[in-house]
C-alpha cells in the first residue's frame, strides 16, 4: 500500500475513513433514544479524528516502528474487524427491515467492500468528490424537511422540549391504518403507561401480560379484524409477526419518554443500553487512535492546515445533520419509540412527513444513497487493514 501521510489531503483521507455508515446513523439514533445523553456522540464524531491529528507524532520513523510491533498490529486488526463487522451488520439489518433476507444485505456489502478496495487505493481526487456527494445526499432530504415543516431546528427543539407527552398524532399511520412491528422488535413486549383502546387492523394472535393480585398472568387471544382490546397501565402486549394494530389518537406512545422535559434532560438508559453505549464509545475512540495510524504514519509531517480545516467543516456538518435529523424525528415521528429507535426507521423520516408519493420515495432514496457513498468511501479501507 502506498504511503499517503505526506500528502496535504491526509486529514481529508482520515475523515473519509472515519465517517462510516454506522457512525453516521448512530448520531441521530443515539440522540432520539437518549435525548441529551446522546449528544456525547456528536462530540466524539468531531473530536476523534482531530484529536488523532493533533497528537500525531513528529517522529514518523518512531511511529512506524511502533506500528510494526505485534501488539500494535493486533490492536489494528481488532479495531478494523470491529468497524467492518459493525457496518456489514448494519447493512444486513437494513435489508431485513426492508423485507429482504439479512444474508443478502451482508453478501452485497461484502462484495462492495471487495470491489471498493481497488478503487480506494487508486483514487484520490475522485474520492474527495464522493465525500461531497455523501454530505449533499444527506443534507438534501433534511433541507426538504425544513421546507415542509417551515420550522428551523431551534423552533423544533423548543416544541419537543415543551411537549407534555409524546402522543399519537391523528394522521399517524399507527392510528389511521395500523401497523405491525418491525421484524427486529416483533418479539419484544410493548409496555403501556396509560389506558389504551386498541383495534385489530388484521386478524391474528396477541399475548397480553397483566397483574392479577400478586401474580403475573400471560393470556393468549386470537382476535379477528375490527375487534377491540383495552389495555391498562402496567399491561404488556406482544403480537404475532405481521399482525397490525391501530392505536387511539392523542394517547401516550408506549415506551416513549414521559415528556419533552425528561427527553431534553437526559433519559435513564437500561443496563443493556449502557453496555451498548460503552461499546460504541470504545469502538469510536479505539478506532480514532489506532486505525488511522495505519494510513497516516510514516513521515513526520502534520496534516496541512487547509486539509484539517476542510475535514473539520465536514465533521461539523455531519454532526449538525445528525442532531437536526434526530430533532425532526422526535417531533414528527415519535412512534419510533414504539418500535425501537433503529437506523432503518430513522431513514424513513421523509416518508413520514411527505406521506406517500414520489417526493417521499425520492427523499428516502437520496438519504440511502448518502449512506451508500459513506460505505463505499470508508469501509474498503477497513478491508485493506485486515488484508495487510
Amino acid at each position: 500500500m502506498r504511503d499517503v501521510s505526506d500528502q496535504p489531503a491526509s486529514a481529508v483521507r482520515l475523515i473519509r475513513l472515519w465517517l462510516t455508515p454506522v457512525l453516521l446513523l448512530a448520531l441521530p439514533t443515539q440522540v432520539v433514544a437518549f435525548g441529551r445523553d446522546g449528544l456525547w456522540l456528536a462530540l466524539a464524531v468531531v473530536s476523534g479524528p482531530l484529536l488523532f491529528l493533533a497528537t500525531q507524532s513528529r517522529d514518523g520513523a518512531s511511529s512506524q516502528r511502533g506500528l510494526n510491533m505485534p501488539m500494535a498490529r493486533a490492536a489494528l486488526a481488532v479495531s478494523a474487524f470491529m468497524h467492518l463487522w459493525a457496518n456489514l451488520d448494519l447493512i444486513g439489518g437494513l435489508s431485513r427491515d426492508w423485507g429482504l433476507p439479512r444474508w443478502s444485505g451482508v453478501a452485497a456489502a461484502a462484495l462492495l467492500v471487495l470491489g471498493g478496495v481497488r478503487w480506494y487505493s487508486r483514487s484520490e481526487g475522485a474520492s474527495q468528490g464522493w465525500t461531497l456527494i455523501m454530505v449533499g445526499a444527506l443534507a438534501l432530504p433534511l433541507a426538504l424537511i425544513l421546507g415542509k415543516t417551515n420550522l428551523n431546528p431551534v423552533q423544533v427543539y423548543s416544541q419537543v422540549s415543551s411537549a407534555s407527552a409524546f402522543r399519537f398524532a391523528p394522521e399517524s399511520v399507527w392510528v389511521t391504518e395500523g401497523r405491525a412491528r418491525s421484524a427486529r422488535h416483533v418479539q419484544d413486549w410493548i409496555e403501556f403507561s396509560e389506558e389504551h383502546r386498541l383495534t385489530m387492523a388484521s386478524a391474528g394472535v396477541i399475548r397480553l401480560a397483566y397483574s392479577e393480585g400478586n401474580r403475573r398472568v400471560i393470556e393468549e387471544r386470537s382476535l379477528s379484524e375490527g375487534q377491540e382490546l383495552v389495555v391498562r397501565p402496567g399491561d404488556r402486549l406482544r403480537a404475532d409477526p405481521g399482525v397490525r394494530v391501530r392505536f387511539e389518537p392523542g394517547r401516550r406512545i408506549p415506551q416513549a419518554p414521559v415528556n419533552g422535559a425528561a427527553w431534553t434532560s437526559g433519559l435513564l438508559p437500561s443496563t443493556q443500553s449502557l453496555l451498548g453505549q460503552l461499546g460504541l464509545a470504545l469502538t469510536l475512540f479505539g478506532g480514532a487512535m489506532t486505525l488511522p495510524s495505519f494510513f497516516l504514519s510514516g513521515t513526520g509531517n502534520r496534516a496541512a492546515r487547509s486539509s484539517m480545516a476542510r475535514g473539520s467543516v465536514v465533521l461539523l456538518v455531519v454532526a449538525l445533520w445528525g442532531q437536526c435529523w434526530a430533532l425532526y424525528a422526535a417531533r414528527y415521528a415519535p412512534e419510533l419509540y414504539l418500535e425501537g429507535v433503529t437506523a432503518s426507521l430513522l431513514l424513513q423520516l421523509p416518508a413520514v412527513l411527505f406521506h406517500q408519493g414520489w417526493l417521499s420515495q425520492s427523499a428516502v432514496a437520496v438519504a440511502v444513497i448518502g449512506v451508500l457513498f459513506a460505505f463505499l468511501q470508508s469501509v474498503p479501507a477497513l478491508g485493506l487493514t485486515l488484508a495487510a
Side-chain angles (χ1 to χ4, degrees), residues 98-217:
W98 292 337
L100 299 174
R102 183 185 181 89
W103 64 265
S104 64
V106 175
L111 291 176
L112 286 175
V113 171
L114 294 176
V117 164
R118 183 176 181 182
W119 165 83
Y120 185 90
S121 60
R122 293 191 176 185
S123 63
E124 178 64 36
S127 61
Q128 296 185 40
W130 279 40
T131 302
L132 295 178
I133 294 176
M134 177 200 71
V135 175
L138 294 174
L140 180 58
L142 183 60
L144 294 175
I145 291 173
L146 265 68
K148 170 69 174 180
T149 60
N150 200 27
L151 293 173
N152 62 52
V154 176
Q155 293 171 316
V156 173
Y157 177 82
S158 177
Q159 291 186 5
V160 174
S161 61
S162 61
S164 60
F166 292 86
R167 302 182 183 276
F168 287 103
E171 65 274 10
S172 171
V173 67
W174 287 92
V175 172
T176 58
E177 303 175 10
R179 285 194 60 176
R181 300 188 80 190
S182 61
R184 183 175 300 184
H185 296 281
V186 70
Q187 296 300 324
D188 298 336
W189 292 92
I190 301 174
E191 186 168 354
F192 294 86
S193 59
E194 70 175 14
E195 184 174 305
H196 278 255
R197 184 179 297 274
L198 310 177
T199 304
M200 301 295 293
S202 64
V205 176
I206 62 95
R207 291 163 183 83
L208 182 65
Y210 58 92
S211 297
E212 190 175 88
N214 295 326
R215 63 192 184 96
R216 194 71 174 171
V217 179

Side-chain angles (χ1 to χ4, degrees), residues 292-306:
S293 306
F294 187 80
F295 296 91
L296 301 180
S297 62
T299 69
N301 297 331
R302 292 178 179 266
R305 290 184 178 180
S306 61

Side-chain angles (χ1 to χ4, degrees), residues 5 7-8 10-11 53 56 301-308:
S5 58
Q7 298 179 12
S10 58
L53 292 172
Q56 189 177 5
N301 297 331
R302 292 178 179 266
R305 290 184 178 180
S306 61
S307 176
M308 288 190 66

Side-chain angles (χ1 to χ4, degrees), residues 240-314:
D240 280 356
V243 176
R244 295 186 294 116
V245 179
R246 291 204 307 268
F247 289 80
E248 288 184 276
R251 293 291 185 177
R252 289 178 180 268
I253 297 174
Q255 302 168 164
V258 176
N259 50 42
W263 183 80
T264 54
S265 62
L267 305 177
L268 295 176
S270 63
T271 302
Q272 182 179 2
S273 61
L274 279 174
L275 292 176
Q277 291 194 65
L278 177 61
L280 182 59
L282 292 175
T283 303
L284 286 175
F285 286 105
M289 292 295 100
T290 59
L291 194 58
S293 306
F294 187 80
F295 296 91
L296 301 180
S297 62
T299 69
N301 297 331
R302 292 178 179 266
R305 290 184 178 180
S306 61
S307 176
M308 288 190 66
R310 293 196 303 271
S312 301
V313 169
V314 173

